[in-house]
């Protein structure tokens, strides 16, 4: 009742591993379900806040009180790339966006920062109602249909889907700058927009919950905040049981971030699959929940 393994593997209590034919994987420790009452973590400078059991991590090397990100781990290790983080006791491998523990073969995928909420300030809801940005930022749509947040009010969203410029200027891809009547300004990187939070998903009876739900598309289908929305063969939304997953083309399975779906073998492969943890069994999607926004 302490550990668990991915679907398609078996728990080997003797070795403390997850076994599947000739592949051995490190098993995972279960986490206690969150309680409905949630506190906030106030980031230094008192201008931004993260959800309970998160860690405030710098998004750059500046001293601005607005340049924090939220790592979905308590007392996390903030990686030097200013965009990923690792569990306490692990070391960041920013080249692979993974975390490793000295003296152990355990490797986990590093978590990406999310944008913290400005303290005592409302959020800007992006077109379609699925994404939100902090107040005084601008929602910019990417070619994939997701949104980013430009850290300026009424900003100009550049066509490359990555950058933005101040109001009244023009994006100039050739010089990678914002052109104004008086000269040039450096263009800005967009930040990743947060999904609009939906009601918490209950774990069985009582007050325990399994995180905040995220909305799939523009309808009422939702998945847990540690899941990924993936379309199923029926055309309806399904939920992959891992964050930022790769949705496989059969519309039934999915793979962890950084892996690719190998349909002939029904496995998830990273790189050339030469190491034991480079080949994982595919995970099955489940039908998405249907919740009503409060």
């Amino acid at each position: 009742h302490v550990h668990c393994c991915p679907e398609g593997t078996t728990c080997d209590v003797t070795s403390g591993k997850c076994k599947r034919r000739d592949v051995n994987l490190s098993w995972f420790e279960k986490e206690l379900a969150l309680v409905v009452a949630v506190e906030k973590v106030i980031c230094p400078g008192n201008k931004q806040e993260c959800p309970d059991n998160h860690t405030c991590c710098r998004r750059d090397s500046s001293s601005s009180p607005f340049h924090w990100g939220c790592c979905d781990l308590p007392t996390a290790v903030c990686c030097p790339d200013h965009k990923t983080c690792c569990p306490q006791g692990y070391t960041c491998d920013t080249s692979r966006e993974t975390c490793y523990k000295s003296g152990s073969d355990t490797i986990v995928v590093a978590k990406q920062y999310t944008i913290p909420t400005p303290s005592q300030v409302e959020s800007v809801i992006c077109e379609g109602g699925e994404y939100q940005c902090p107040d005084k930022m601008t929602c910019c749509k990417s070619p994939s249909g997701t949104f980013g947040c430009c850290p300026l009010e009424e900003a100009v969203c550049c066509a490359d889907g990555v950058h933005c410029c101040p109001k009244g200027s023009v994006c100039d891809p050739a010089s990678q700058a914002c052109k104004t009547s008086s000269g040039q300004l450096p263009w800005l990187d967009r930040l990743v927009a947060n999904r609009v939070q939906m009601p918490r998903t209950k774990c069985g009876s009582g007050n325990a919950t399994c995180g905040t739900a995220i909305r799939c598309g523009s309808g009422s289908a939702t998945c847990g905040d540690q899941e990924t929305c993936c379309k199923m063969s029926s055309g309806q939304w399904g939920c992959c049981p891992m964050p930022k997953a790769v949705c496989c083309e059969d519309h039934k399975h999915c793979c962890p971030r950084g892996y690719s779906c190998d349909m002939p073998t029904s496995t998830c492969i990273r790189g050339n699959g030469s190491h034991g943890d480079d080949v994982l069994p595919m995970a099955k999607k489940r039908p998405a929940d249907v919740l009503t926004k409060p």
Side-chain angles (χ1 to χ4, degrees):
H1 300 291
V2 178
H3 298 93
C4 55
C5 288
E7 183 179 7
T9 65
T10 57
C11 301
D12 185 355
V13 180
T14 304
S15 64
K17 298 282 186 180
C18 303
K19 289 197 169 182
R20 181 178 183 269
R21 295 197 295 271
D22 58 340
V23 177
N24 291 331
L25 305 173
S26 300
W27 60 11
F28 301 90
E29 287 190 7
K30 301 175 186 176
E31 297 180 357
L32 292 176
L34 302 177
V35 179
V36 170
V38 177
E39 298 294 331
K40 298 291 184 181
V41 177
I42 306 300
C43 299
N46 299 320
K47 297 295 185 182
Q48 293 180 301
E49 60 186 33
C50 294
D52 191 37
N53 288 320
H54 284 58
T55 302
C56 294
C57 289
R58 278 281 179 194
R59 288 190 284 106
D60 57 32
S61 57
S62 77
S63 58
S64 169
F66 294 100
H67 288 205
W68 293 97
C70 296
C71 173
D72 187 13
L73 294 168
T75 61
V77 176
C78 302
C79 298
D81 60 2
H82 298 297
K83 64 179 182 178
T84 57
C85 56
C86 291
Q88 185 178 29
Y90 283 73
T91 300
C92 304
D93 182 353
T94 54
S95 63
R96 299 182 179 181
E97 292 192 356
T98 57
C99 312
Y100 67 91
K101 183 180 287 188
S102 179
S104 170
D105 59 355
T106 301
I107 299 177
V108 298
V109 177
K111 288 183 174 286
Q112 297 277 333
Y113 298 168
T114 57
I115 299 175
T117 303
S119 298
Q120 309 298 321
V121 179
E122 296 295 326
S123 295
V124 177
I125 304 301
C126 302
E127 177 188 354
E130 185 179 355
Y131 293 90
Q132 61 185 354
C133 292
D135 192 47
K136 299 189 184 302
M137 290 194 182
T138 302
C139 295
C140 288
K141 197 170 186 177
S142 69
S144 65
T146 60
F147 280 85
C149 302
C150 180
L152 296 170
E153 287 189 272
E154 300 181 25
V156 177
C157 303
C158 300
D160 66 353
V162 178
H163 299 95
C164 57
C165 288
K167 179 182 178 181
S169 64
V170 177
C171 302
D172 182 23
S175 60
Q176 297 185 351
C178 306
K179 282 194 171 182
T180 68
S181 57
S182 58
Q184 289 187 348
L185 296 172
W187 60 8
L188 300 173
D189 290 334
R190 300 180 195 174
L191 310 174
V192 178
N194 286 328
R195 286 183 180 269
V196 173
Q197 293 187 345
M198 303 291 283
R200 287 180 170 265
T201 306
K202 284 191 174 181
C203 298
S205 59
N207 289 331
T209 64
C210 286
T212 304
I214 56 173
R215 183 160 57 184
C216 303
S218 58
S220 59
T222 64
C223 293
D225 63 349
Q226 293 300 304
E227 296 181 308
T228 301
C229 297
C230 288
K231 280 290 184 74
M232 303 185 77
S233 54
S234 63
Q236 302 298 312
W237 286 103
C239 301
C240 177
M242 60 191 77
K244 298 183 179 179
V246 177
C247 305
C248 297
E249 58 190 28
D250 66 352
H251 299 294
K252 296 179 181 179
H253 298 90
C254 55
C255 289
R257 181 183 178 210
Y259 287 74
S260 59
C261 305
D262 185 41
M263 303 311 303
T265 61
S266 295
T267 58
C268 305
I269 294 181
R270 181 173 61 183
N272 59 11
S274 59
H275 296 89
D277 59 352
D278 284 343
V279 181
L280 300 174
M282 285 182 174
K284 284 186 178 180
K285 304 170 191 174
R286 67 171 181 85
D289 302 312
V290 178
L291 293 177
T292 302
K293 189 176 179 182

